[in-house]
Amino acid sequence: MMENLESTIFQLILHGGDGKSLAMEALAAARKGDIPSAKEKIDACVDALNEAHHIQTSLIQEETNGNLTMITLLMVHAQDHLMNAITVKDMAIEMIEIYDKMNKISHFQHDNQ
């Protein structure tokens, strides 16, 4: 059971890390003005974090069915990693919208000079 649990925990860490990396790549693209690429990266980020969320949900369902999960430092790390990735994604979405609006205003001002 522990080997399977460790594998599951590593999957949480993997998908959370992928999600966070994709969110950061999305921000870098938005900063350069490449909003379409930023939005594609965010979509991929959401997919990665959805995978992690499905794993997390299955662990929660196991507990509600009476199969308690041993709480290890690795599990705490995985949950922390996932929650940070979700926060970064949420902030990245907001910042991409700001970059997009700034670019539109800049282009509008440039076109009207």
Side-chain angles (χ1 to χ4, degrees):
M1 174 75 179
M2 187 57 190
E3 279 184 29
N4 189 33
L5 179 60
E6 281 185 1
S7 175
T8 301
I9 292 169
F10 281 119
Q11 288 297 309
L12 273 175
I13 293 168
L14 171 77
H15 293 300
D18 287 349
K20 183 179 176 187
S21 294
L22 286 160
M24 296 304 293
E25 290 174 20
L27 280 173
R31 188 172 45 253
K32 293 177 184 174
D34 188 355
I35 301 303
S37 178
K39 289 183 177 181
E40 286 177 18
K41 296 283 187 183
I42 284 295
D43 288 344
C45 166
V46 168
D47 290 344
L49 294 179
N50 281 341
E51 286 294 322
H53 181 70
H54 286 105
I55 294 166
Q56 183 185 50
T57 299
S58 70
L59 288 169
I60 291 169
Q61 287 173 339
E62 283 293 315
E63 280 200 22
T64 60
N65 290 331
N67 301 320
L68 298 180
T69 303
M70 182 171 33
I71 304 300
T72 64
L73 184 55
L74 191 59
M75 175 62 88
V76 172
H77 174 68
Q79 292 297 314
D80 183 52
H81 204 59
L82 178 57
M83 294 311 298
N84 282 320
I86 291 168
T87 300
V88 170
K89 176 209 51 145
D90 292 343
M91 296 303 298
I93 290 169
E94 292 299 318
M95 293 176 74
I96 290 166
E97 289 300 315
I98 292 168
Y99 279 121
D100 191 23
K101 287 180 182 178
M102 286 175 35
N103 287 337
K104 287 176 181 172
I105 290 169
S106 177
H107 288 301
F108 177 78
Q109 290 174 342
H110 179 72
D111 292 344
N112 288 317
Q113 287 181 350

